[in-house]
Amino acid sequence: MEIGGKLEVIKSYGLQIAEIEPTVYKVLNTEQEINADKLKHDLMDAALLRSQRIRWNRENGVNTAIAKIYYIIFEPSKIDKYSRIAREGHADSTIDVCDFHEEVDSIDTLYRREEL
Amino acid sequence: MQGGKDTQIQKQTELVNTGNPRKNRSYLRAYYYTTISFELFGINSDIEVKVDTGSPYTVVGAQNRKLDAVLKEHLRTVGIDGRTAVEDASGNPIGLKPQVVQNFKLTDDIVFPKVKIYFSDSLKEKAILGMDILTLFDFKYHRDDKAIWIYYEENFLETLGKKMINKNLGYIDPGLIAAMDEFPSK
């Protein structure tokens, strides 16, 4: 998706943003509570710096997080810098990125040595 | 709900399944993810963990993409605790780094002011919720609503504190919650 399309998506959520530098957008109306998971997936490869979840939204059996958004970042290398900046203004700021899980099945369980 | 003259009223809280069919195959019954929140080194994190009733520990991969860079750097300087060495299902050794995290939110109703969990370089971006935390409570998977429900009492922190082998730690260490009644008698 081109940047113009991404900005349209952001606006459709009622978020007002200001470009801080290319690929980094600061949200101006940070009191707005929106569905962070939906926004994240609609933007596809964005990172959100957002509040910790305010509540869950359940729709068709899927739970998604409602939160306040502070920054939207499209360049992964800039996440750390702005995570630090976001924390200065918002103590509850967290990093939220799309976490696609591997397609392959894996057995994640762990064993204590004494079990074996 | 259960309760009696000498017992606390037991409440139930949903371990919210945050698996999302848009990013994984969590619509399948065998996949169950939830999101835990905690604070470590003054930094908040919301981490999606896979519920793993086979794992004795709750472990967050030290390279999880939702961990702040400053937090990752702190974790790099923390040594591996050899006493809690474990293996994955393929027999590979997994080093664990114990950390006491603050405001650990398992569900909206179950929050630990301080509790010990683990971090691991070996788990990379993965994270699992293990039996150390889960078995502090009664829990049940309901097939109809495809959800795990946890049963708890209002004063669960006080109750767990009383069961700690070392009561002066100032935090809950799930590994030190006495379970001697579960040992087989001779």
Side-chain angles (χ1 to χ4, degrees), chain B residues 6-65:
Chain B
D6 300 321
T7 60
Q8 283 280 318
I9 299 294
Q10 201 171 48
K11 298 183 172 182
Q12 64 180 44
T13 179
E14 183 179 359
L15 187 67
V16 174
N17 188 343
T18 57
N20 188 332
R22 296 170 77 174
K23 65 183 177 184
N24 55 37
R25 292 172 289 172
S26 56
Y27 51 86
L28 297 175
R29 180 170 39 81
Y31 294 73
Y32 204 106
Y33 294 88
T34 193
T35 299
I36 57 171
S37 304
F38 57 80
E39 180 187 334
L40 181 60
F41 306 124
I43 298 170
N44 292 297
S45 302
D46 280 4
I47 304 292
E48 189 162 80
V49 292
K50 187 172 189 180
V51 176
D52 184 350
T53 57
S55 170
Y57 299 113
T58 293
V59 189
V60 176
Q63 295 309 312
N64 192 290
R65 293 197 300 154

Side-chain angles (χ1 to χ4, degrees), chain A residues 48-63:
Chain A
L48 305 180
L49 302 182
R50 63 163 176 83
S51 69
Q52 291 191 296
R53 71 170 186 274
I54 296 165
R55 62 182 176 277
W56 295 114
N57 177 65
R58 188 196 297 266
E59 205 173 321
N60 299 323
V62 176
N63 296 289

Side-chain angles (χ1 to χ4, degrees), chain B residues 7-175:
Chain B
T7 60
Q8 283 280 318
I9 299 294
Q10 201 171 48
K11 298 183 172 182
Q12 64 180 44
T13 179
E14 183 179 359
L15 187 67
V16 174
N17 188 343
T18 57
N20 188 332
R22 296 170 77 174
K23 65 183 177 184
N24 55 37
R25 292 172 289 172
S26 56
Y27 51 86
L28 297 175
R29 180 170 39 81
Y31 294 73
Y32 204 106
Y33 294 88
T34 193
T35 299
I36 57 171
S37 304
F38 57 80
E39 180 187 334
L40 181 60
F41 306 124
I43 298 170
N44 292 297
S45 302
D46 280 4
I47 304 292
E48 189 162 80
V49 292
K50 187 172 189 180
V51 176
D52 184 350
T53 57
S55 170
Y57 299 113
T58 293
V59 189
V60 176
Q63 295 309 312
N64 192 290
R65 293 197 300 154
K66 293 184 179 178
L67 291 177
D68 183 273
V70 176
L71 204 158
K72 284 178 182 170
E73 186 57 35
H74 279 302
L75 287 171
R76 263 195 287 276
T77 64
V78 177
I80 291 175
D81 182 1
R83 292 168 300 170
T84 48
V86 292
E87 292 184 1
D88 69 13
S90 300
N92 302 308
I94 305 288
L96 298 180
K97 301 175 176 186
Q99 287 291 311
V100 177
V101 299
Q102 295 179 299
N103 299 321
F104 178 95
K105 187 186 276 192
L106 182 62
T107 73
D108 286 347
D109 301 300
I110 297 179
V111 181
F112 295 89
K114 288 183 179 180
V115 67
K116 182 172 159 185
I117 64 170
Y118 294 86
F119 291 82
S120 173
D121 294 321
S122 312
L123 256 66
K124 298 179 182 172
E125 293 191 9
K126 294 181 177 178
I128 52 182
L129 177 68
M131 291 289 271
D132 55 344
I133 298 288
L134 276 173
T135 55
L136 296 177
F137 307 93
D138 295 338
F139 63 92
K140 185 176 182 181
Y141 177 75
H142 285 250
R143 280 191 301 173
D144 286 346
D145 51 13
K146 299 180 182 63
I148 291 173
W149 288 88
I150 295 177
Y151 300 89
Y152 70 103
E153 294 168 356
E154 285 284 3
N155 67 341
F156 71 92
L157 284 171
E158 186 185 334
T159 305
L160 291 175
K162 285 178 183 169
K163 289 182 178 177
M164 288 265 292
I165 293 170
N166 184 341
K167 295 179 172 50
N168 301 316
L169 288 176
Y171 61 86
I172 297 291
D173 181 344

Side-chain angles (χ1 to χ4, degrees), chain A residues 19-108:
Chain A
E19 187 181 52
I20 302 300
E21 62 171 294
T23 69
V24 178
Y25 296 86
K26 182 178 183 177
V27 174
L28 302 175
N29 53 338
T30 54
E31 288 308 303
Q32 184 105 350
E33 296 178 5
I34 65 134
N35 193 316
D37 283 327
K38 279 190 176 177
L39 172 63
K40 189 174 59 177
H41 289 95
D42 285 348
L43 293 172
M44 292 195 287
D45 55 356
L48 305 180
L49 302 182
R50 63 163 176 83
S51 69
Q52 291 191 296
R53 71 170 186 274
I54 296 165
R55 62 182 176 277
W56 295 114
N57 177 65
R58 188 196 297 266
E59 205 173 321
N60 299 323
V62 176
N63 296 289
T64 46
I66 305 295
K68 298 174 182 175
I69 312 297
Y70 305 136
Y71 285 86
I72 301 170
I73 300 171
F74 296 113
E75 171 52 52
S77 65
K78 295 176 180 174
I79 295 173
D80 293 338
K81 174 186 173 186
Y82 283 94
S83 174
R84 207 163 43 244
I85 293 170
R87 276 205 314 278
E88 289 170 4
H90 308 277
D92 66 340
S93 179
T94 64
I95 299 171
D96 193 3
V97 292
C98 287
D99 42 2
F100 288 89
H101 299 283
E102 292 177 15
E103 283 298 313
V104 295
D105 277 323
S106 62
I107 300 173
D108 290 301

